[in-house]
Amino acid sequence: AGLLVAEDASGVLGFHWTKQHDASLGEVYVVGVAPQAQGRGLGKVLTLAGLHHLHGLGVAQVLLYVEADNAPAVAVYSRLGFAHADTDTHVQYARLPRRS
């Protein structure tokens, strides 16, 4: 529940472990991609799969922590709509619900 794994005949390529903190708050807890699978967009696919999972649980807001110097991860998360959360110095990025 909340752990998504990508694999092929060679083994595990990556994973995304999500967390649900309460009814409306979730977290991109860990996304990992094997070195041989990096650069193929798997991080984005796994992150999206986790976000869809959290959405299905009714989560309205998702946060994540990422080191500022992890440029590939920051780029993926930024393209997926995450932005720096200035209100909490411990939270690097948060993805707020989209307004219709």
Side-chain angles (χ1 to χ4, degrees), residues 18-97:
T18 65
K19 282 190 173 184
Q20 185 176 9
H21 294 278
D22 58 35
S24 64
L25 179 64
E27 181 177 351
V28 171
Y29 187 60
V30 180
V31 176
V33 177
Q36 70 272 18
Q38 291 177 353
R40 299 181 357 201
L42 190 55
K44 176 182 176 181
V45 170
L46 285 165
T47 303
L48 282 172
L51 293 173
H52 286 286
H53 167 73
L54 291 169
H55 177 75
L57 297 174
V59 168
Q61 184 176 359
V62 177
L63 57 85
L64 64 87
Y65 301 86
V66 64
E67 295 293 328
D69 63 353
N70 186 344
V74 170
V76 168
Y77 299 141
S78 295
R79 286 192 301 268
L80 292 176
F82 287 89
H84 188 263
D86 294 324
T87 57
D88 185 344
T89 59
H90 298 290
V91 177
Q92 285 284 324
Y93 293 87
R95 186 170 192 250
L96 303 174

